[in-house]
Amino acid sequence: MNSRIFTAAALALGVSLSANAHAETFRWSASTDPQTMDPHAANLAPVTSFLNNIYEGLVRRAPDMSIEPSLATEWKPLEDEDGWRFVLRQGVKFHDGSDFTADDVLFSYERGISEQSDVRSWFAPVQEVRVVDDYTVDFVTKAPDPIFPESIANWMIMDRDWAAANNSTMPAKDQPTFATLNTNGTGPFKLAARDPDVQTRLAVNEEWWDEPQHNVTEAVFMPIGSAATAIAALVSGEIDMLQSVPVQDAERLRSLDGIKTLEGLEARVIVLGFAHDHPALYGSLETTGKNPFQDVRVRRAVASAINVDAIDRVLMNGMAEPASQLVPAGLSGYSTAHSSRPAYDADAARALLAEAGYPQGFSFSLRCTNDRYLNDDAVCQALTGMLAAVGLKAQLETMPVRTYWTELREDRFDVFLLGWSPGTFDAEHPIRFLVHTPSNTLGTWNFGGYSNARVDELLPMVQQELDPAKRQAMLDEIAGIVQDEMSYVPLYVEPLVWAARDAIDVVQRPDNFFMLRWVQVKG
């Protein structure tokens, strides 16, 4: 594994997680508020991270990112068919006191594969789910699927009866439902009060099935969009921890008495994506009736025009790492055979554009977030300047992440910024979501409609292959195709910086998920 990605998590393992008698209210902040409390409505890290404190899955990740039991106590491959059997934990209660049973797992699967669900890609390999008894569930897959248990680590189980009683049987993706603002999980914390974009209060679940490793009596989340305001709140003691620290502030925070930082690399690659399937540009001032980005030479020109080292040096304080593919080096399935990324070469970019028939370049729409990734607004401003230097005139528009995904799903872009963290910590994950031809359950985040028949052919083979060498060979082939066709331009692996008051012990996971169950507030 990439040592920089896992350093913070490894160091955090040294923190004592034993509960103590002294208990406190814990307050923390990040730049983005989770947009919904519905665990199947938005497959977004701020949502999934937050709701992992309230809802639980059959399995979960430990501080070292290994898979461990949660609502399932054990799992094993089926004997006479492809798939997995999960034995469920008995005696678990939802927050409203109702019993957790296999029927809730079946309901959560049915809800998760619905058209409104944003997590249905997780179940693309599943053919059938069978309830064997109240505490045994079989997931029958279309073929052998060795990583299926890991692939559902963030799938959260809901109570069928609660959802039905509150008209929330379908995910609240397009229209809000009761589940948008309310929850009923089995996890260590319960939702006490929700004021979107202002404050969310969590109470301790005193009936939680697991032994608490925290000493928090109440947790309060306060999203703060302004970095300066958030840091001031941390320094003054208004909040105890800040989950999104600008890299340019890390050095100053390290020097402050009473404040500590946790630093590493997030397992997230920042990329540029293209509108592959658009017949014409969406936002060009002069190019009509055609889409230059359908020409691989133009996409390669974009890659050659970008100086990733300069972005790292100036905007990331040297804390990022240039990326060559859709997963960081060190993760399972990473292709060492394709570890080189295009060199910064403005002259080569101009030559490629001329060869493609655009010697003067052209204008186009570039869409970016301004509150989702580290320095995303500044990064896109820098990208705009670099691309302009070779004749690619980006009409840049930045916007809050709350409206960003809608813009992309409505095809209102030519080029877009995206960060991707593989939930399975395996290279198969971004192929399934970002590279496979879009369908009902696959390519659900492939906004640009990239399509390659060989990739589509290889993906199910990768998902089924048990031999590590054969599987890696197929992943290498896919990485080569993605690079050769420049379906995306990988930029860098994002730095991960948190800050907390000295009295706070937390575990920083490389997926940037924050788990309250490991928080210790020292007296």
Side-chain angles (χ1 to χ4, degrees):
M1 293 293 186
N2 186 316
S3 59
R4 287 187 64 196
I5 289 179
F6 287 87
T7 294
L11 288 175
L13 292 176
V15 175
S16 172
L17 294 177
S18 61
N20 61 47
H22 186 74
E24 294 285 351
T25 295
F26 173 78
R27 297 175 175 85
W28 89 105
S29 180
S31 60
T32 303
D33 192 52
Q35 69 183 54
T36 181
M37 295 290 101
D38 188 324
H40 306 146
N43 182 21
L44 302 170
V47 174
T48 308
S49 170
F50 188 88
L51 290 181
N52 259 284
N53 294 297
I54 298 172
Y55 287 98
E56 295 176 298
L58 300 183
V59 300
R60 68 186 184 190
R61 292 196 180 274
D64 65 355
M65 300 307 293
S66 62
I67 293 293
E68 65 180 19
S70 185
L71 294 181
T73 57
E74 59 180 290
W75 51 95
K76 59 184 179 181
L78 297 176
E79 293 183 358
D80 299 322
E81 56 190 332
D82 295 324
W84 292 83
R85 169 163 291 182
F86 290 83
V87 178
L88 306 184
R89 190 178 301 277
Q90 300 187 30
V92 175
K93 301 282 187 180
F94 284 98
H95 294 161
D96 67 354
S98 59
D99 292 327
F100 160 71
T101 69
D103 185 58
D104 299 306
V105 177
L106 176 61
F107 165 69
S108 298
Y109 166 73
E110 295 167 343
R111 196 175 191 270
I113 63 171
S114 67
E115 184 65 30
Q116 299 95 313
S117 171
D118 201 29
V119 303
R120 60 186 184 275
S121 289
W122 299 349
F123 303 103
V126 177
Q127 179 173 292
E128 180 187 4
V129 173
R130 292 196 297 254
V131 172
V132 179
D133 57 44
D134 281 350
Y135 296 100
T136 310
V137 182
D138 288 348
F139 286 76
V140 181
T141 56
K142 300 168 186 175
D145 190 346
I147 65 170
F148 180 72
E150 294 191 8
S151 75
I152 58 169
N154 289 321
W155 173 45
M156 297 175 228
I157 304 302
M158 296 182 69
D159 177 9
R160 183 191 290 273
D161 293 338
W162 178 85
N166 292 289
N167 297 315
S168 299
T169 54
M170 289 291 106
K173 185 175 182 181
D174 299 317
Q175 296 294 328
T177 69
F178 189 77
T180 304
L181 292 175
N182 299 274
T183 65
N184 184 37
T186 59
F189 289 84
K190 302 186 291 185
L191 183 64
R194 169 75 171 156
D195 188 358
D197 296 318
V198 178
Q199 186 180 97
T200 303
R201 306 183 77 90
L202 301 177
V204 173
N205 177 15
E206 301 291 354
E207 305 302 319
W208 190 37
W209 58 267
D210 201 1
E211 180 180 350
Q213 294 179 306
H214 66 84
N215 68 341
V216 175
T217 53
E218 179 187 44
V220 183
F221 177 72
M222 297 177 288
I224 304 175
S226 165
T229 302
I231 290 173
L234 177 67
V235 173
S236 69
E238 181 182 350
I239 61 175
D240 300 303
M241 196 205 92
L242 180 56
Q243 194 180 347
S244 47
V245 176
V247 290
Q248 61 268 25
D249 293 313
E251 184 173 356
R252 180 169 72 89
L253 286 171
R254 291 183 208 118
S255 67
L256 294 179
D257 290 340
I259 302 293
K260 59 185 175 184
T261 63
L262 292 86
E263 304 174 25
L265 281 174
E266 185 175 357
R268 180 182 303 280
V269 176
I270 304 297
V271 304
L272 283 181
F274 302 97
H276 292 272
D277 61 355
H278 295 188
L281 290 179
Y282 167 76
S284 182
L285 301 176
E286 79 295 322
T287 304
T288 59
K290 57 184 176 180
N291 177 4
F293 293 113
Q294 291 181 335
D295 190 322
V296 68
R297 294 169 295 187
V298 175
R299 302 195 296 270
R300 288 174 181 165
V302 171
S304 296
I306 297 172
N307 189 338
V308 173
D309 289 336
I311 292 174
D312 179 27
R313 184 176 63 254
V314 176
L315 298 178
M316 300 293 164
N317 279 26
M319 299 173 68
E321 186 173 277
S324 65
Q325 41 200 283
L326 298 177
V327 292
L331 263 65
S332 173
Y334 175 84
S335 178
T336 56
H338 299 92
S339 59
S340 298
R341 68 176 321 281
Y344 167 59
D345 190 335
D347 289 337
R350 295 186 190 97
L352 284 164
L353 289 173
E355 182 182 335
Y358 304 97
Q360 305 304 316
F362 56 90
S363 61
F364 62 95
S365 166
L366 171 61
R367 293 294 176 95
C368 296
T369 54
N370 56 22
D371 65 351
R372 176 62 188 95
Y373 312 115
L374 282 175
N375 291 338
D376 44 10
D377 195 324
V379 166
C380 286
Q381 294 286 352
L383 292 173
T384 299
M386 293 173 183
L387 294 173
V390 302
L392 293 168
K393 298 173 281 291
Q395 309 300 305
L396 174 63
E397 184 175 357
T398 66
M399 64 194 69
V401 70
R402 183 174 292 274
T403 58
Y404 187 64
W405 307 124
T406 299
E407 291 293 297
L408 298 191
R409 294 193 187 281
E410 294 296 329
D411 289 335
R412 292 192 282 266
F413 68 91
D414 295 315
V415 180
F416 63 94
L417 187 78
L418 179 70
W420 196 259
S421 178
T424 58
F425 277 63
D426 186 273
E428 176 271 343
H429 191 271
I431 298 167
R432 178 176 11 134
F433 283 93
L434 304 182
V435 185
H436 191 282
T437 302
S439 68
N440 184 49
T441 58
L442 295 170
T444 52
W445 284 70
N446 182 357
F447 298 115
Y450 172 76
S451 180
N452 181 282
R454 179 59 175 162
V455 170
D456 293 354
E457 178 186 12
L458 285 170
L459 177 59
M461 297 166 64
V462 167
Q463 294 171 328
Q464 301 162 22
E465 183 56 61
L466 301 176
D467 184 286
K470 292 180 180 178
R471 185 175 189 270
Q472 186 60 54
M474 290 186 285
L475 289 170
D476 287 344
E477 182 179 350
I478 294 174
I481 292 171
V482 171
Q483 280 191 348
D484 290 344
E485 297 195 348
M486 201 58 68
S487 55
Y488 294 87
V489 177
L491 299 175
Y492 53 86
V493 184
E494 188 169 77
L496 181 58
V497 185
W498 295 359
R501 300 187 62 77
D502 279 344
I504 305 298
D505 283 342
V506 300
V507 173
Q508 184 187 59
R509 287 182 11 179
D511 57 1
N512 201 17
F513 279 26
F514 177 59
M515 299 292 103
L516 286 165
R517 68 178 184 268
W518 297 320
V519 173
Q520 286 279 314
V521 182
K522 295 178 288 189

